[in-house]
Structure formats: C-alpha cells, structure tokens
Amino acid sequence: MIWNPDIECMSRDELSQLQGKRLRELAVYVYENNRIYKDRFDQIGIKPQDINSIEDITSLPFTTKMDMRDSYPFGLFSKPVKEISEIHVSSGTTGNPTVVGYTKEDVQLWSTVMARSLCCAGAEPGDILQVAYGYGLFTGGLGLHYGGLEMGLVVIPASSGNTRRQIKLMQDFKPRILACTPSYALYITEEMKSMGLDPRQSEWEIGLFGAEPWSDSMRNEIEESLGILATDIYGLSEIIGPGVCQECHLKNGLHMYSDVFYPEIIDPDTGKPVAPGEDGELVITTLTKRGIPLLRYRTRDIVSINYDACQCGRTSPRISKIKGRTDDMIIIRGINVFPSQIEDVLLSIDGTHPHYQLVIERSEHGLDTVEIQVEVEPEIFSDEIKKLRAFEQKVKAHIDSVLSIGSKVRLVEPGTVARSEGKAKRVIDKRNLN
Amino acid sequence: MQIKQISVFLENREGRLADVCELLGENNINIRALTIAETEAFGVLRTVVDKPNEAVRLITQKGFTANLTDVVAIEVDDRPGGLAAVLRSFVDADINVEYMYGFIEKSADKALMVFRFDDPKKAIELLKSHDFVVVSNSDIQSL
C-alpha cells in the first residue's frame, strides 16, 4: 500500500507548486526564528519574500556539518528549547557532536515519513515489526518505532544485540518485518546456522536495512540466506533520522519524500546542480520541520537522482544507493567515523603522534571489523611486553569510548603504513561496498 | 655492574628475526645471549651482543624500533638449586624480576643468567652485599 497516495503519487507540477509554497514559508520561518539564518540572509542580501518558487532555492545559503558543530548545542534551533520534545545526538565527528531537536510536529513528521517507508517496503497494517536497530541517541530504533506505531504495525522494540534473543523473538512472535543494519542481518543468519537452524525458514519476509552502505552483492547474500526481500533505507539524523527515502519492492532507487525533504544534486566543488542521472553531492532542505529546520544541508553523500515515475505508482524522485563521500568519513557498523578522530585519540595518549592506519574488513558473517594499526615508535616502545600490552589496551579503550565501536589495536613495525607523496593512506577499506 | 641489552620490536612475520640476526652477522657482531617474548601479533627480541652501541645503531638504521636496556648478568652455580638460591635472595630482599634468560656460553661450572629488574639499583646493592659474580660489559666482549 501507499501511505500518502495523494502526495506520493502527485504530478510533478503539483509537487513543484507544493514545494515552492513550503520553501517560501520555510524562508520566512527561519528568517524570523533563527539568528544564524537571519544573518546569512542579510549578508547575501536576500529577503524571504524573494523566494517565490522551488527554483529560487539556489539563491539560499548552504548549511554544512561545520555549521551544526559550530552552533552546538542550540544555535541552529528555530524554537526555544522548552518547545522541543525530543533530542538526539549523533557522535561520529570530531569536536562537538551533532544535535537534533524535534518538536511534537517534527516527531509526527518523522512518524509519517517512516510509515511511508514501511509501506514502501511492503508492510501492511497488522504486520509484526522487529526493530533491531539500537534505541537511544542513535535515531534508528525510535525512527522505525514511530513509523510502526503510525501505520498500525505491532512493534517489537528489540533494539540491537543479544542475537539469540532476536532469533527467539522471531520464532515465537513470527514478525514479518525485520529492521536492522544489513551487516547485523547477516550476523543473525550466521548465528541461526550455528544454532542448527535454517535461516531460509525464518519468519521474516521483508527487511529494512540501512544506517550503513551495502552493496548489491551483499543484498543478494541477505536475500538468499534469509529468504527475505531486502530493501535499503536511507536517512541522516541532521535531516530526521531514518525515513528520508526508502526503496520499494522493485529495488530500483530509493524514493525520496521530496514534499518534505527537497533534494538537490550538486557538484561538490562548484555548488552548481548536475544533470539528473549524473553523480553529485546530495543536498537536502527540510521544507516543513520546526525544531531545527535546515536549508540546503550538504550531506556529503554522492548519489544520482532519477525523476521518472516508478512502476510502483509513486512519482517521488528516486536516489541511487550512496556511491561515495565527498569527505573521508567512513561508516562502520552504522557509526560514522572520521580518521581525524583516531588521530585525536592517539595524540591524547602520551602526546604521541604515531603513524597509524585503519583496516576495515567485513567478516564472512557480515559484521564489520576495524583494526587500528599503530607503528611502534621509540617513544611507545618498551622491552617489556606488559608495557606494550598496556599501551595497546589504552589505545583500544580510548578509541572504543570515542567511536563506540569495538576495535582491535595492533602494534606494527615502522614503515607498515604506506606513505605516498608524504601523505599516509590512513584507511584501508576492504569491504567492497560499491 | 649493568650491561646493555638490545631490545627490538618485531612483528610476528616470517623472516623478521632472521633479518636482524643476518644484519648482526654481516657486521661481525656476536650474539651472546638472546630470548624472545612474544604475543599473538608481535614479539620483543632481547639480546646481549659484544658491540651493543654499534648493533643498536645498525638495527634502527634498518628501520626497526630498538633501544638499549640496562640488565644485570650474574654467574649462577651450574648445579641443582643454583638458580633457586639466587632467586630466593631476591625474594627475601623484595626485589622483583621482570624477566630473565640464559647466556649461550658458560664458564666452567657456572651458568650466566641475564636479569631485568624493575629496580636495578636496589638489585645491584643486594648483589654487592652477597657474593654474586656480576659480569661487566668488558667481560661480555671477551667471552
């Protein structure tokens, strides 16, 4: 079923009218309610009244991750804090984390787009949904939860981890839908095999797998091993969390809810739009948010866009799977990681600045592993194993607490980290994600 | 009283130990004592040679991480209970041995043991007050 057919199947002209009207309202709203945006409008000499159609969006300023960090915690809010009803904080960048505040209306919007996503994947009211994304400051768990409640699903808030219990929930309650990261889906599969169960006999029929990039070969593997329709869901906490766009059963691009999250694809260097079908950076404007609405937010994700109507009946534009990043961010088990964070951690330990590299692999049961290789410089070295071990442990503890992922630290000989043109290659990603 | 041990960081990879030993051999440096402490991923080679300063320079030039560590080489009676007697006196004086290993050569009825103490000063005071024979750097060269 289609959750909001009047909007999701709207003609392009009507949609464009609606987007234009909402953009103008948004321009007025942020100008009147947010100091940072007001100053930017004034600086570039535009007035909200200059915005009359969606095409005028190109005259508005971009918003970047840096803006969000610099304005931490409440600088980009357009509502006083007491009118916010939920706050999420994402780690995954150096310096300040990213804060997102939702008003009641924003939570309703989130519920709506997630209900659209669940329907898009094939859910029907009354289906049982097992949410195995983490609940908490990470937006995955609650996003799916709200969407499930909104469209009348039976929600099991399993959260992530405790895999044997997940399997028991599946056996006992027979949920039709599973929502988790794709790597966790593979991990569950392995666990079922090790328990002597046949994953193909699982009750799940549909999966909403997201929060990390995954390839088509990984999709095939999940579909074959679990006997499930594996769909891709995309989102980011700055915009709303999960529910920015979702694949339908045809798996031919992710339907973007452009009536509320307006996409532009730009050349990251020039900021100019690229043609449909061309790769570029995805830029999103939250047309209707109230707590922390963002103008032209640069996601740094590289995608292409397709405006043709889909055979599923939806007319919303579809974006491709994420093809890459404009920065060096990597996603490990759904957590955003920047190599510079690792650098900061190493620097904070004994003030050493060793050569290091991250080696990321996807184990055969689907979970990403990250190994941090640190070259043993004389300052780190000791003739005593226990001191080297202690250093290893210290690095691990620091990195695990900053990145909230379990890492492995490996001490290596000098010269291990390849140096090219004086600049070391910091990340060896062996996962074949694209 | 103390002698220089060279400690070298080695990854658990084929040929790394051979590389170090060949380097010493090519430069006419003689290994007198040697041990390796290993973990799953790496090891530390600890060795006493006849020309420690030259050896550590060559090894670090080759790109290895290495340093010189002060250790004490002690003559131990080569008889049942010989080492135990030495160790007991350390225990009684509350001196902790980090690690120890044996020399390749031995003189007559004595075995030579290398000790790494967490508090070498205290250990040497004890050694002086007992009649332990402690080997010097020059002794090592003439072994």
Side-chain angles (χ1 to χ4, degrees):
Chain A
M1 69 184 279
I2 297 178
W3 185 245
N4 296 140
D6 49 343
I7 286 181
E8 294 180 76
C9 306
M10 208 177 236
S11 76
R12 272 189 73 175
D13 282 350
E14 273 182 295
L15 186 59
S16 165
Q17 292 290 322
L18 179 66
Q19 290 164 337
K21 176 173 157 288
R22 286 179 171 175
L23 183 67
R24 184 185 167 108
E25 286 164 3
L26 174 71
V28 171
Y29 178 75
V30 295
Y31 190 82
E32 288 174 356
N33 293 289
N34 184 275
R35 163 64 53 186
I36 292 173
Y37 279 131
K38 180 178 186 302
D39 290 349
R40 292 220 177 151
F41 275 52
D42 293 346
Q43 267 165 14
I44 52 179
I46 72 162
K47 297 248 172 304
Q49 294 70 29
D50 301 339
I51 306 298
N52 297 306
S53 74
I54 194 66
E55 283 73 34
D56 294 333
I57 196 166
T58 52
S59 59
L60 293 174
F62 286 116
T63 310
T64 64
K65 185 91 179 174
M66 194 57 80
D67 294 329
M68 296 204 74
R69 263 188 267 154
D70 293 348
S71 60
Y72 179 87
F74 300 124
L76 274 168
F77 281 47
S78 290
K79 283 277 186 198
V81 179
K82 63 178 192 300
E83 289 180 45
I84 299 292
S85 52
E86 189 170 328
I87 283 181
H88 282 264
V89 179
S90 86
S91 67
T93 48
T94 39
N96 291 328
T98 307
V99 184
V100 183
Y102 301 72
T103 61
K104 271 214 161 60
E105 302 101 303
D106 295 334
V107 174
Q108 180 52 55
L109 168 68
W110 198 8
S111 306
T112 302
V113 292
M114 270 312 311
R116 287 185 195 177
S117 298
L118 284 156
C119 288
C120 196
E124 298 285 342
D127 283 346
I128 300 176
L129 163 68
Q130 183 167 349
V131 180
Y133 284 111
Y135 278 68
L137 292 175
F138 171 65
T139 49
L142 280 168
L144 267 291
H145 190 98
Y146 291 149
L149 296 183
E150 177 76 7
M151 72 159 289
L153 300 182
V154 182
V155 183
I156 305 176
S159 197
S160 57
N162 203 340
T163 310
R164 296 210 162 195
R165 193 185 58 189
Q166 304 275 5
I167 293 163
K168 184 152 174 38
L169 288 169
M170 178 271 294
Q171 291 171 312
D172 295 350
F173 295 94
K174 305 188 172 19
R176 184 170 171 242
I177 306 160
L178 171 66
C180 61
T181 62
S183 50
Y184 193 55
L186 277 180
Y187 189 77
I188 293 174
T189 308
E190 284 308 303
E191 190 70 15
M192 286 180 76
K193 284 182 192 158
S194 74
M195 292 163 72
L197 301 168
D198 177 4
R200 288 200 56 83
Q201 301 299 316
S202 80
E203 305 292 336
W204 300 304
E205 293 173 17
I206 297 171
L208 285 84
F209 303 127
E212 64 183 6
W214 50 311
S215 59
D216 278 333
S217 62
M218 190 164 173
R219 186 207 304 268
N220 295 340
E221 196 182 340
I222 294 172
E223 293 197 328
E224 278 166 33
S225 57
L226 271 179
I228 196 172
L229 169 75
T231 67
D232 194 0
I233 181 166
Y234 170 84
L236 55 165
S237 59
E238 297 93 319
I239 300 304
I240 194 103
V244 175
C245 47
Q246 162 74 42
E247 276 180 335
C248 65
H249 66 283
L250 298 166
K251 296 179 288 191
N252 189 9
L254 291 87
H255 287 277
M256 182 130 187
Y257 311 120
S258 62
D259 62 302
V260 288
F261 305 131
Y262 183 76
E264 298 170 84
I265 313 295
I266 63 163
D267 177 328
D269 299 327
T270 64
K272 296 273 178 286
V274 301
E278 298 281 310
D279 290 356
E281 182 181 0
L282 176 62
V283 173
I284 305 174
T285 300
T286 60
L287 293 174
T288 58
K289 272 178 78 180
R290 286 293 171 250
I292 180 167
L294 297 178
L295 296 179
R296 307 187 81 201
Y297 182 71
R298 299 192 56 161
T299 65
R300 304 199 246 184
D301 285 318
I302 303 288
V303 302
S304 61
I305 196 162
N306 174 1
Y307 288 99
D308 300 340
C310 180
Q311 285 174 329
C312 74
R314 292 174 182 83
T315 52
S316 41
R318 280 166 288 156
I319 61 163
S320 66
K321 271 186 173 294
I322 309 299
K323 299 176 183 184
R325 295 275 304 173
T326 64
D327 58 15
D328 57 1
M329 188 181 92
I330 33 186
I331 301 182
I332 305 168
R333 293 195 213 167
I335 305 289
N336 302 345
V337 178
F338 288 88
S340 55
Q341 284 174 285
I342 308 284
E343 214 148 303
D344 286 353
V345 169
L346 291 171
L347 195 59
S348 71
I349 301 170
D350 309 333
T352 54
H353 205 295
H355 281 287
Y356 70 92
Q357 70 184 7
L358 300 184
V359 180
I360 306 159
E361 294 187 75
R362 188 156 278 172
S363 62
E364 54 196 53
H365 46 66
L367 274 190
D368 294 342
T369 58
V370 60
E371 183 177 81
I372 294 131
Q373 300 183 342
V374 182
E375 288 189 5
V376 177
E377 306 280 346
E379 319 57 274
I380 298 171
F381 181 56
S382 161
D383 63 305
E384 293 177 59
I385 294 282
K386 68 178 180 194
K387 288 189 178 148
L388 291 166
R389 268 283 158 85
F391 175 78
E392 243 178 11
Q393 284 306 318
K394 201 153 135 191
V395 173
K396 181 177 160 51
H398 275 72
I399 286 180
D400 289 0
S401 70
V402 172
L403 302 185
S404 63
I405 49 170
S407 63
K408 193 172 153 196
V409 174
R410 190 188 183 97
L411 300 182
V412 295
E413 286 176 23
T416 305
V417 177
R419 295 155 177 76
S420 53
E421 301 144 37
K423 194 170 155 25
K425 188 164 168 44
R426 296 293 183 203
V427 181
I428 313 284
D429 195 336
K430 298 179 172 174
R431 291 178 298 180
N432 304 324
L433 295 176
N434 295 312
Chain B
M1 288 299 268
Q2 302 198 45
I3 58 167
K4 296 288 179 198
Q5 164 192 292
I6 301 167
S7 312
V8 190
F9 181 85
L10 295 177
E11 271 177 63
N12 273 358
R13 276 195 285 128
E14 224 171 277
R16 297 310 279 158
L17 179 59
D19 292 344
V20 176
C21 295
E22 274 166 11
L23 180 69
L24 296 177
E26 285 161 7
N27 289 280
N28 207 21
I29 291 167
N30 203 349
I31 297 172
R32 298 301 188 190
L34 171 142
T35 184
I36 292 181
E38 89 286 354
T39 70
E40 174 201 349
F42 65 85
V44 175
L45 163 69
R46 300 155 179 165
T47 179
V48 176
V49 301
D50 54 359
K51 292 172 262 182
N53 293 331
E54 189 185 340
V56 84
R57 185 176 55 78
L58 288 164
I59 290 170
T60 46
Q61 264 175 2
K62 265 277 181 217
F64 289 92
T65 296
N67 65 17
L68 290 171
T69 311
D70 286 328
V71 291
V72 182
I74 305 168
E75 282 190 358
V76 179
D77 288 341
D78 190 2
R79 59 172 172 82
L83 177 60
V86 177
L87 290 172
R88 176 55 56 194
S89 55
F90 291 139
V91 172
D92 294 343
D94 207 13
I95 292 168
N96 192 23
V97 178
E98 289 294 344
Y99 55 80
M100 52 172 285
Y101 53 102
F103 259 71
I104 293 161
E105 298 88 352
K106 43 176 272 202
S107 51
D109 56 350
K110 301 281 186 189
L112 263 183
M113 298 296 293
V114 177
F115 288 84
R116 165 79 154 92
F117 298 104
D118 57 354
D119 188 349
K121 276 206 189 84
K122 197 170 159 189
I124 285 170
E125 276 166 31
L126 175 85
L127 292 164
K128 280 180 180 163
S129 66
H130 290 60
D131 289 336
F132 292 119
V133 178
V134 177
V135 178
S136 68
N137 274 320
S138 54
D139 295 335
I140 302 275
Q141 286 178 21
S142 60
L143 273 175

